[in-house]
Amino acid sequence: AVEETRSTNIWAQETWSMMIADSDAFHPPVNEDNALLMNLFRGMEKPEVHVSALMQIAENSDTAGRVFDSYAPGKDLDLPLLIACYQAPDTLLRGDRAILSYFLAGFKKKQRQERFPLCCRHLGQFM
């Protein structure tokens, strides 16, 4: 059992090394992505459910921030929010003030970085 665990750990380390290697094809994950990757590998909630909800919230820009604040607690919305922003940039990222900034207005910078690392990394200019 010990030998099997050691060989599995070596395989996991080699796999992780390949995943984080520099690539022209994609942005490799960083250490802050560990929780997201673990959720993906173990089977997280389907992000499309949250993407749909976020799109509905965004449609009413007058209350978007407040409704997001009531929807978000207890949910991991980093990946769904990133997906929604890429699917509907005209709705979530454009205009005088991007809806994304309304969604995240209630979070301090450090909280945003902790709860929404993907959005901060890829959409920081809109936050």
Side-chain angles (χ1 to χ4, degrees):
V2 171
E3 186 57 37
E4 183 178 334
T5 300
R6 284 185 182 140
S7 66
T8 301
N9 286 344
I10 290 170
W11 173 83
Q13 289 171 344
E14 290 171 351
T15 302
W16 181 249
S17 294
M18 287 188 303
M19 288 176 65
I20 64 170
D22 286 336
S23 172
D24 291 334
F26 71 102
H27 295 285
V30 295
N31 285 335
E32 291 80 20
D33 297 333
N34 286 347
L36 171 69
L37 292 170
M38 285 189 285
N39 285 338
L40 287 173
F41 288 128
R42 76 166 186 237
M44 68 187 294
E45 290 181 62
K46 295 183 177 183
E48 59 268 15
V49 172
H50 294 304
V51 170
S52 177
L54 294 169
M55 295 299 291
Q56 290 175 3
I57 294 168
E59 287 176 5
N60 190 349
S61 61
D62 295 338
T63 60
R66 186 174 56 233
V67 176
F68 180 85
D69 288 344
S70 66
Y71 179 74
K75 296 176 181 75
D76 182 0
L77 296 177
D78 190 29
L79 181 60
L81 187 54
L82 184 69
I83 292 169
C85 287
Y86 276 99
Q87 284 183 349
D90 289 339
T91 301
L92 289 152
L93 302 177
R94 305 258 191 300
D96 294 337
R97 188 160 178 216
I99 296 293
L100 177 62
S101 67
Y102 286 119
F103 281 176
L104 303 181
F107 296 92
K108 294 180 179 173
K109 185 176 182 177
K110 183 174 174 123
Q111 291 173 314
R112 286 183 200 162
Q113 291 170 338
E114 290 171 355
R115 294 218 28 216
F116 302 97
L118 290 173
C119 289
C120 288
R121 189 175 335 139
H122 298 284
L123 303 171
Q125 69 208 39
F126 300 102
M127 298 169 74

PDB file of all heavy atoms in Angstrom, residues 90 113 117:
ATOM      1  N   ASP A  90     -21.140  42.184 -23.619  1.00  0.00           N
ATOM      2  CA  ASP A  90     -21.889  43.427 -23.791  1.00  0.00           C
ATOM      3  C   ASP A  90     -22.798  43.707 -22.604  1.00  0.00           C
ATOM      4  O   ASP A  90     -23.048  44.867 -22.260  1.00  0.00           O
ATOM      5  CB  ASP A  90     -22.724  43.388 -25.080  1.00  0.00           C
ATOM      6  CG  ASP A  90     -21.846  43.470 -26.319  1.00  0.00           C
ATOM      7  OD1 ASP A  90     -20.701  43.939 -26.215  1.00  0.00           O
ATOM      8  OD2 ASP A  90     -22.300  43.033 -27.394  1.00  0.00           O
ATOM      9  N   GLN A 113     -10.094  39.045  -4.362  1.00  0.00           N
ATOM     10  CA  GLN A 113      -8.976  38.187  -4.773  1.00  0.00           C
ATOM     11  C   GLN A 113      -9.102  36.787  -4.191  1.00  0.00           C
ATOM     12  O   GLN A 113      -8.720  35.819  -4.834  1.00  0.00           O
ATOM     13  CB  GLN A 113      -7.651  38.828  -4.373  1.00  0.00           C
ATOM     14  CG  GLN A 113      -7.353  40.070  -5.164  1.00  0.00           C
ATOM     15  CD  GLN A 113      -6.172  40.858  -4.626  1.00  0.00           C
ATOM     16  OE1 GLN A 113      -5.802  40.735  -3.464  1.00  0.00           O
ATOM     17  NE2 GLN A 113      -5.587  41.674  -5.486  1.00  0.00           N
ATOM     18  N   PRO A 117     -10.654  34.615  -7.724  1.00  0.00           N
ATOM     19  CA  PRO A 117      -9.301  34.739  -8.286  1.00  0.00           C
ATOM     20  C   PRO A 117      -9.268  34.693  -9.817  1.00  0.00           C
ATOM     21  O   PRO A 117      -8.497  35.420 -10.434  1.00  0.00           O
ATOM     22  CB  PRO A 117      -8.540  33.564  -7.669  1.00  0.00           C
ATOM     23  CG  PRO A 117      -9.584  32.590  -7.254  1.00  0.00           C
ATOM     24  CD  PRO A 117     -10.784  33.407  -6.892  1.00  0.00           C
TER      25      PRO A 117
END
